[in-house]
């Protein structure tokens, strides 16, 4: 094989390391994970659960919107927790402290709760926001990790998140403090989910594009092929005359019906192969679909969940690639295929 032209020469991977870097050993990395685990254990062992319960109960009893705010990394955590609550059918929103002071504070009302995340409790932007939010009659809650801080002293409620230290060797980069903020917020979110008796169906309704949502929302009738897409034939049709119908509809089968569209059976690619093996000479040209079709195929109704159709396809004694869809009178109305389910994200 010749060499690549100069314009197509691929860059060589970098060799060695910059002189100021040290090799990272497996032991060093393992020790860091163990240290972080210890820091998280410190949080769990020292958290005041009475504070956590009061906080959760306050959010549960809220008549308005639960707003979250924070700056920097704490702001990202606050935004994520708010999004989690929204996905659980709880009214929530993130309030940027800077934008709040330039008009967005108009979203607040006396029925709302405002939760302020700050490791130190001395975040200047949040302290400037406090008197303006209080003037709107909002219930103010601070979530901090430093004792006796300005933010906690100015709010109606404070939750202290015990922090042993940051994993950072300088005890500066907020990597442990944000971890415990996230753990705390997400755990409270699940507690609210349980207290509100959120059902799978309600959860799925808020996640229609995800696999979870699709599996709980989509029914067979939503993803099945119908009408002109169906590979249909009559039991008296010659097999050799139905090969185009068998292959052109992309279902891997023929659906055998009578004049009233009642399903009589199915004839698959596999049935065709078995027919070709058994038949000899000109006999193959005289065989009719009804002679070789499966008279007891697996079927499903249009109102069944799509995920149920997939389970039925995969069930013993052997998996199948499709299910005819019939109504309560055994009238054929569609077909659902494994390929169609996968394409729909299931």
């Amino acid at each position: 094989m010749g060499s690549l032209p100069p314009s197509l020469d691929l860059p060589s991977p970098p060799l060695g390391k910059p002189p100021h870097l040290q090799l990272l050993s497996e032991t060093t990395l393992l020790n860091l994970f163990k240290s972080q685990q210890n820091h998280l254990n410190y949080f769990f062992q020292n958290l005041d659960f009475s504070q956590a319960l009061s906080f959760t109960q306050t959010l549960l009893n809220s008549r308005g919107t639960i707003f979250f705010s924070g700056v920097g990394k704490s702001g990202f955590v606050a935004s994520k927790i708010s999004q989690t609550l929204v996905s659980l059918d709880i009214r929530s929103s993130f309030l940027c402290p800077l934008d709040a002071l330039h008009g967005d504070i108009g979203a607040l009302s006396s029925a709302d709760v405002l939760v302020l995340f700050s490791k130190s409790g001395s975040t200047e932007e949040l302290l400037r926001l406090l008197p303006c939010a209080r003037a709107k009659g909002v219930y103010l809650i601070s979530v901090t990790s430093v004792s006796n801080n300005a933010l906690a002293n100015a709010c109606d409620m404070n939750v202290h998140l015990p922090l042993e230290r940051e994993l950072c060797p300088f005890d500066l980069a907020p990597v442990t403090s944000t971890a415990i903020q996230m753990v705390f917020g997400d755990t409270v979110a699940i507690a609210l989910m349980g207290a509100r008796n959120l059902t799978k169906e309600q959860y799925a309704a808020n996640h229609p594009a995800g696999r979870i949502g699709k599996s709980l929302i989509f029914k067979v009738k939503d993803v099945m092929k119908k009408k002109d897409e169906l590979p249909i034939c009559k039991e008296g049709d010659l097999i050799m005359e139905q090969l185009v119908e068998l292959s052109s509809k992309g279902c891997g089968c023929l659906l055998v019906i009578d004049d009233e569209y009642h399903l009589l059976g199915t004839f698959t690619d596999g049935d065709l192969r078995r027919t070709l093996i058994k038949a000899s000479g000109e006999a193959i040209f005289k065989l009719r679909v009804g002679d070789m079709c499966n008279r007891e195929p697996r079927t499903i109704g249009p109102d069944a969940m799509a995920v149920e159709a997939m389970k039925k396809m995969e069930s013993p004694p052997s998996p199948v690639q499709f299910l005819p869809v019939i109504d309560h009178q055994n009238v054929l109305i569609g077909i659902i295929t494994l390929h169609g389910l996968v394409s729909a994200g299931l």
Side-chain angles (χ1 to χ4, degrees):
M1 179 176 177
S3 59
L4 294 171
S7 60
L8 295 180
D9 282 345
L10 300 177
S12 300
L15 300 177
K17 59 182 179 60
H20 63 282
L21 295 184
Q22 297 181 1
L23 288 175
L24 179 63
S25 70
E26 181 178 331
T27 301
T28 300
L29 187 60
L30 178 60
N31 288 337
L32 284 172
F33 277 108
K34 287 182 177 179
S35 295
Q36 184 75 312
Q37 182 182 30
N38 290 334
H39 298 331
L40 294 176
N41 287 338
Y42 177 88
F43 161 73
F44 288 118
Q45 293 164 4
N46 293 277
L47 177 65
D48 186 336
F49 284 97
S50 64
Q51 288 186 355
L53 179 60
S54 296
F55 175 78
T56 307
Q57 196 66 51
T58 300
L59 299 194
L60 182 63
N61 295 337
S62 173
R63 296 176 292 109
T65 300
I66 302 170
F67 285 91
F68 288 82
S69 191
V71 175
K73 310 300 187 299
S74 294
F76 289 126
V77 174
S79 177
K80 188 274 176 189
I81 295 171
S82 175
Q83 291 170 8
T84 297
L85 292 185
V86 171
S87 75
L88 299 178
D89 224 19
I90 299 171
R91 277 186 297 167
S92 183
S93 182
F94 176 74
L95 183 67
C96 172
L98 179 61
D99 291 338
L101 296 177
H102 291 273
D104 284 5
I105 200 169
L108 300 180
S109 74
S110 58
D112 300 332
V113 174
L114 175 58
V115 182
L116 306 162
F117 274 82
S118 171
K119 171 187 171 182
S120 66
S122 60
T123 308
E124 192 174 323
E125 293 87 345
L126 297 181
L127 291 173
R128 287 203 302 265
L129 173 61
L130 272 181
C132 306
R134 187 171 293 284
K136 301 285 289 187
V138 178
Y139 190 82
L140 300 169
I141 304 176
S142 60
V143 181
T144 61
S145 289
V146 174
S147 300
N148 195 29
N149 60 77
L151 195 63
N153 293 334
C155 286
D156 301 302
M157 176 188 295
N158 177 66
V159 179
H160 177 72
L161 303 185
L163 175 65
E164 185 176 30
R165 60 159 289 138
E166 300 287 2
L167 184 64
C168 165
F170 309 125
D171 195 18
L172 294 176
V175 290
T176 304
S177 56
T178 50
I180 63 177
Q181 287 175 345
M182 190 76 78
V183 167
F184 175 78
D186 282 346
T187 303
V188 167
I190 299 305
L192 294 173
M193 176 185 180
R196 291 165 60 92
N197 296 314
L198 187 76
T199 65
K200 277 188 177 181
E201 289 71 26
Q202 289 171 317
Y203 182 80
N206 292 334
H207 299 77
R211 189 174 185 274
I212 295 174
K214 289 177 180 178
S215 67
L216 294 172
I217 293 177
F218 280 16
K219 294 187 175 182
V220 168
K221 61 185 177 184
D222 298 321
V223 293
M224 71 180 186
K225 292 185 175 184
K226 44 196 170 185
K227 298 181 180 178
D228 294 339
E229 299 176 292
L230 302 182
I232 57 174
C233 70
K234 301 295 180 63
E235 61 179 337
D237 293 339
L238 294 173
I239 291 177
M240 299 305 290
E241 292 180 354
Q242 293 299 316
L243 295 184
V244 173
E245 184 75 3
L246 175 62
S247 59
S248 64
K249 298 297 177 67
C251 296
C253 70
L254 291 170
L255 303 174
V256 188
I257 59 172
D258 62 15
D259 292 336
E260 284 76 39
Y261 248 71
H262 293 109
L263 181 68
L264 302 179
T266 60
F267 182 83
T268 68
D269 291 337
D271 293 326
L272 176 61
R273 288 191 294 273
R274 286 184 286 273
T275 298
L276 294 175
I277 292 172
K278 291 180 180 179
S280 59
E282 296 183 358
I284 182 65
F285 296 100
K286 298 179 181 179
L287 284 175
R288 302 185 183 276
V289 176
D291 299 329
M292 302 298 294
C293 72
N294 175 15
R295 297 281 180 171
E296 297 182 352
R298 297 179 209 178
T299 61
I300 198 164
D303 292 319
M305 302 306 295
V307 68
E308 181 185 335
M310 180 171 285
K311 290 178 181 178
K312 200 167 188 177
M313 289 182 193
E314 297 172 344
S315 63
S318 59
V320 296
Q321 301 291 312
F322 67 90
L323 293 174
V325 184
I326 58 174
D327 65 12
H328 63 283
Q329 295 180 325
N330 197 43
V331 173
L332 178 69
I333 57 177
I335 184 172
I336 186 167
T337 65
L338 183 60
H339 179 269
L341 290 171
V342 173
S343 298
L346 295 164

